Amino acid sequence: MTVLVLLRHGQTEYNAEGRLQGSLDVPLGEHGRNQAAAAARAIVDGYGVPDRIVTSPLSRARDTAAAVGALVPVPVTVDRRLRQRSYGEWEGLTWDEVKLRWPRDYERRLRGEDPQIEGWDAAAEVSARVSEALAEACDGARLVVVVSHGSAIMLGSLALLGLDAHATTLGKLPHAHWNVLATAHGGWSLARYGLSAAAAD
């Protein structure tokens, strides 16, 4: 049996301002660093020492993963496939700005569809690359901690669970919260959803 802990990075200043980050490399804010430290301690206390820690290359995820790595004798590995999707022309804007300038594409996004804008990473592509990275990280492992991003975690999880990339089954994962997937006999299941350091206390 393999247990996969999927941890979303801590909060950034862009997150606090309601700005879309996507592929932009925005660092953790002070609150995000505190969140990362608390989540790392809760995960290690709750699950033990992981066989692997794998992270997105973006600094907000790498620094969150480093908080886990600081507590255990396990190196942190970077996998580019775990990066956040690109939001194209919307990166750096608030949702209010997006809604004003691209009302139809904004509505598509609300329905779980891909907006038709320049530079947007399609859900199917993100789902495929993230799930591939997750499956490889878990190969032969008992416990794996992966640090990534909200959309990347959701889309990768949908693929592992055999669900469509545009499904709305999984809701928004807050910052420094994590989901737990488990596999036995070749099939994945969602064991826990939206856990946090506060809930683990």
Side-chain angles (χ1 to χ4, degrees):
M1 177 176 176
T2 299
V3 174
L4 172 60
V5 178
L6 293 166
L7 172 62
R8 188 183 181 191
H9 62 80
Q11 187 183 71
T12 70
E13 294 304 321
Y14 263 37
N15 292 141
E17 296 169 1
R19 296 189 179 279
L20 284 77
Q21 296 172 124
S23 62
L24 299 178
D25 197 3
V26 183
L28 292 177
E30 182 178 358
H31 181 55
R33 290 191 293 272
N34 292 335
Q35 287 179 317
R41 172 54 64 189
I43 288 170
V44 172
D45 287 349
Y47 298 93
V49 178
D51 299 304
R52 296 178 190 128
I53 304 170
V54 190
T55 181
S56 155
L58 296 176
S59 62
R60 57 190 182 270
R62 285 191 288 107
D63 290 346
T64 301
V68 182
L71 301 177
V72 296
V74 179
V76 176
T77 301
V78 174
D79 190 326
R80 282 189 51 77
R81 293 172 295 181
L82 296 172
R83 68 191 184 279
Q84 177 62 308
R85 79 190 316 166
S86 170
Y87 287 99
E89 297 175 282
W90 292 0
E91 292 184 346
L93 302 178
T94 66
W95 280 113
D96 286 342
E97 291 169 330
V98 168
K99 183 178 181 180
L100 181 65
R101 294 171 60 182
W102 291 273
R104 291 183 179 177
D105 286 300
Y106 176 81
E107 290 298 326
R108 288 192 185 96
R109 176 60 176 156
L110 291 182
R111 295 194 298 268
E113 301 171 5
D114 289 321
Q116 303 302 305
I117 64 168
E118 186 70 27
W120 179 271
D121 279 347
E125 185 276 328
V126 178
S127 183
R129 67 166 161 82
V130 174
S131 62
E132 180 181 69
L134 296 178
E136 288 184 16
C138 292
D139 186 29
R142 175 192 59 86
L143 174 64
V144 177
V145 175
V146 169
V147 183
S148 188
H149 311 266
S151 289
I153 288 173
M154 179 185 69
L155 291 167
S157 297
L158 287 171
L160 290 185
L161 296 169
L163 300 172
D164 183 82
H166 294 284
T168 56
T169 305
L170 300 180
K172 184 177 177 64
L173 185 64
H175 298 104
H177 284 55
W178 61 92
N179 296 339
V180 180
L181 274 64
T183 183
H185 311 296
W188 286 96
S189 63
L190 181 62
R192 301 295 296 273
Y193 186 87
L195 298 176
S196 68
D201 289 340

